[in-house]
Amino acid sequence: MFIRSFQDLVFAKTKLIPCGKVSTYKLLAKAVGRPRAARAVGNALNKNCNAKVPCHRVVRSDGKVGGFRDGTAAKIKILQKEGVEAVKEKVSLKKYLYKFR
DNA sequence: AGGGTGACCCGCT
DNA sequence: CAGCGGGCCACCC
């Protein structure tokens, strides 16, 4: 299918995040060509949390897990299942950060 | 068409 | 180092 909007582009990139890794809203925004649209990225994921899109693997640039449609706690729970350790709702980007190229 | 919202980021205090 | 405010962008009403 074809990408017809900024949102779809965000989903496409989010799907590329491998299991056990995480990415940030800002990096995602940059990957889609809108380095300043980190906010819009979060908005997009919030309205389209599909099972095909691992939106739970997207965290804030400071390492905080950020928010989640089903609750921050649930997001952390999933991340831990994936193998990502979260302390005080924060993850080590130095270890789990996945960079786009 | 205009205004308000949101899973954010950066800078200043 | 932590907290507060403003700025930015895309989507919905």
Side-chain angles (χ1 to χ4, degrees):
Chain A
M1 59 154 142
F2 288 63
I3 310 296
R4 50 184 185 175
S5 68
F6 175 84
Q7 280 189 165
D8 293 335
L9 206 53
V10 173
F11 301 141
K13 292 290 178 185
T14 306
K15 286 187 209 166
L16 300 178
I17 303 174
C19 184
K21 294 264 182 170
V22 297
S23 186
T24 71
Y25 297 97
K26 195 169 88 164
L27 275 150
L28 230 69
K30 198 183 288 192
V32 300
R34 293 289 182 286
R36 313 242 153 117
R39 220 171 193 178
V41 172
N43 201 344
L45 293 172
N46 176 28
K47 279 155 185 139
N48 281 275
C49 225
N50 293 338
K52 306 293 167 241
V53 182
C55 49
H56 56 268
R57 289 179 197 160
V58 185
V59 299
R60 280 168 41 165
S61 297
D62 59 353
K64 195 100 189 296
V65 295
F68 195 61
R69 201 63 167 67
D70 194 36
T72 309
K75 184 170 180 177
I76 294 169
K77 211 186 246 184
I78 299 169
L79 285 172
Q80 291 193 344
K81 274 190 188 178
E82 299 278 322
V84 179
E85 298 182 73
V87 181
K88 287 188 188 306
E89 305 187 317
K90 288 186 222 116
V91 299
S92 300
L93 297 175
K94 287 260 119 191
K95 297 183 175 197
Y96 307 109
L97 179 61
Y98 170 74
K99 260 195 160 231
F100 299 97
R101 55 167 153 162

